[in-house]
Amino acid sequence: MIRRRFYFSVLLVVALLSLASGLGWGVWTAISQQKLISGNESRTVYLAKGDGLLRLAYQLWDQRATRALWHTVITSEALGLSGRLQAGEYRITPDQTLESFLNSIVKGERIQRRLVVPEGLSSKQVAILVENSFGIEVSRPITISEGSVLPDTYFYERGETADAIISRMQTALASELERLWDQRANDLPIKSKAEAIILASIVEKETAVARERPLVAAVFINRLRQGMRLQSDPTIIYGITQGLPLGRGITRSELRTETPYNTYRINGLPPGPIANAGLDSIKAVLNPPDVPYYYFVADGSGGHAFAKTLKEHNRNVAKWRQIEKNL
């Protein structure tokens, strides 16, 4: 700290002497109005908490945005901005002057970075996404309860902690779930918000086609009402990998293996979610359409063929097997 103050004092003295020696106020004005960069490029400057004017001056000089360290110092002092600089990441835009850039730091016009969390990621995958996002501070291994975050686009500032961002994701889900739960249909075979999230996560993993989510949800709701097993392949995969991709097809032995998540072998819902469900899947589970379907299978078009009876379903399965052979 003492060394920083010393260097700052030296720079300030040099700057003031330069002005006093005849360079004049007009020279300072020219410096403050100099364009930091030209062309279409932009650059970034980051001030961590505790960084001050000297650190800023060095970064601008190091990026060749200013010709000398004292340019930033004297401009900031002349404008009365030195003690008002805010920590954060800032963008230097083309043709921006030194004065306008300093004012943007005082105003806290920080860069907003974007983190996109797609629907259907497991919490392990969300953790990997957060850990590998530039500018997020990760101080310890990230652990997230499965199904506890809302897939969405989140904006953050460089230096924000992973814990803070994940907390925002979880708060967003809790808020939306509370609202949707109050609007749910009557006589659902799911008795709690936790069960709704479990089923919504299965719907999310069963189809990537938005228009099918209500139909898939309806099939599972109908099966639960009749005491039928869900028989969902994604639940088997989760029981094997705990949220990571399997990378291959499910084997016959895995279909027969009893795990808490194998819905071919257990009755009702698995013990927890298998992914982070989006709002559309949650809505579909809480307000499913009134359709008579109990089965579905891939139809070769990226979607599924839905059936009322096992006989009809078996015909759809045979068609799908033929399509698989021709792939």
Side-chain angles (χ1 to χ4, degrees), residues 2 9 16 25-26 29 35 56 87 93 131-132 137 147 155 159 169 186 190-191 211 221 227 229 265 280 296:
I2 294 175
S9 299
L16 292 173
W25 198 255
T29 301
K35 293 179 180 179
L56 174 62
T93 58
E131 288 171 346
N132 288 280
E137 296 292 332
F155 292 91
M169 296 178 186
N186 296 323
I190 47 178
K191 303 306 179 184
R211 68 177 183 275
I221 291 291
R229 289 176 176 172
R265 306 293 294 176
D280 287 345
F296 62 90

Side-chain angles (χ1 to χ4, degrees), residues 229-295:
R229 289 176 176 172
L230 296 184
Q231 297 185 329
S232 168
D233 289 357
T235 64
I236 296 176
I237 294 172
Y238 190 86
I240 298 168
T241 69
Q242 298 299 304
L244 297 178
L246 182 60
R248 56 171 174 78
I250 300 171
T251 65
R252 290 182 180 275
S253 63
E254 287 166 342
L255 280 171
R256 294 191 297 268
T257 300
E258 289 197 23
T259 76
Y261 287 88
N262 186 345
T263 53
Y264 283 82
R265 306 293 294 176
I266 66 169
N267 297 320
L269 296 169
I274 63 171
N276 290 282
L279 282 180
D280 287 345
S281 292
I282 299 172
K283 291 176 182 177
V285 164
L286 293 177
N287 285 280
D290 184 13
V291 293
Y293 301 135
Y294 288 88
Y295 307 90

Side-chain angles (χ1 to χ4, degrees), residues 124-287:
K124 283 185 178 180
Q125 292 172 312
V126 174
I128 292 170
L129 186 65
V130 172
E131 288 171 346
N132 288 280
S133 294
F134 178 81
I136 297 177
E137 296 292 332
V138 181
S139 58
R140 57 182 176 79
I142 298 175
T143 57
I144 308 171
S145 298
E146 192 63 81
S148 67
V149 306
L150 180 67
D152 202 348
T153 297
Y154 295 90
F155 292 91
Y156 67 94
E157 296 176 6
R158 183 174 172 182
E160 191 168 358
T161 66
D163 287 344
I165 294 172
I166 292 165
S167 178
R168 287 191 1 236
M169 296 178 186
Q170 293 173 327
T171 299
L173 177 63
S175 176
E176 289 292 342
L177 181 57
E178 186 70 28
R179 177 179 65 85
L180 295 174
W181 180 255
D182 290 340
Q183 301 170 5
R184 70 190 183 279
N186 296 323
D187 302 322
L188 291 175
I190 47 178
K191 303 306 179 184
S192 67
K193 286 177 279 189
E195 288 187 354
I197 289 297
I198 293 172
L199 188 54
S201 73
I202 298 173
V203 171
E204 192 70 63
K205 296 300 289 185
E206 281 285 4
T207 181
V209 180
R211 68 177 183 275
E212 285 192 348
R213 290 187 183 118
L215 295 178
V216 171
V219 167
F220 289 137
I221 291 291
N222 289 342
R223 293 179 73 89
L224 287 173
R225 282 179 173 147
Q226 296 299 318
M228 301 169 65
R229 289 176 176 172
L230 296 184
Q231 297 185 329
S232 168
D233 289 357
T235 64
I236 296 176
I237 294 172
Y238 190 86
I240 298 168
T241 69
Q242 298 299 304
L244 297 178
L246 182 60
R248 56 171 174 78
I250 300 171
T251 65
R252 290 182 180 275
S253 63
E254 287 166 342
L255 280 171
R256 294 191 297 268
T257 300
E258 289 197 23
T259 76
Y261 287 88
N262 186 345
T263 53
Y264 283 82
R265 306 293 294 176
I266 66 169
N267 297 320
L269 296 169
I274 63 171
N276 290 282
L279 282 180
D280 287 345
S281 292
I282 299 172
K283 291 176 182 177
V285 164
L286 293 177
N287 285 280

Side-chain angles (χ1 to χ4, degrees), residues 50-65:
D51 286 346
L53 181 56
L54 182 58
R55 176 61 181 165
L56 174 62
Y58 176 79
Q59 288 191 63
L60 291 175
W61 172 78
D62 186 53
Q63 295 195 47
R64 299 183 181 180

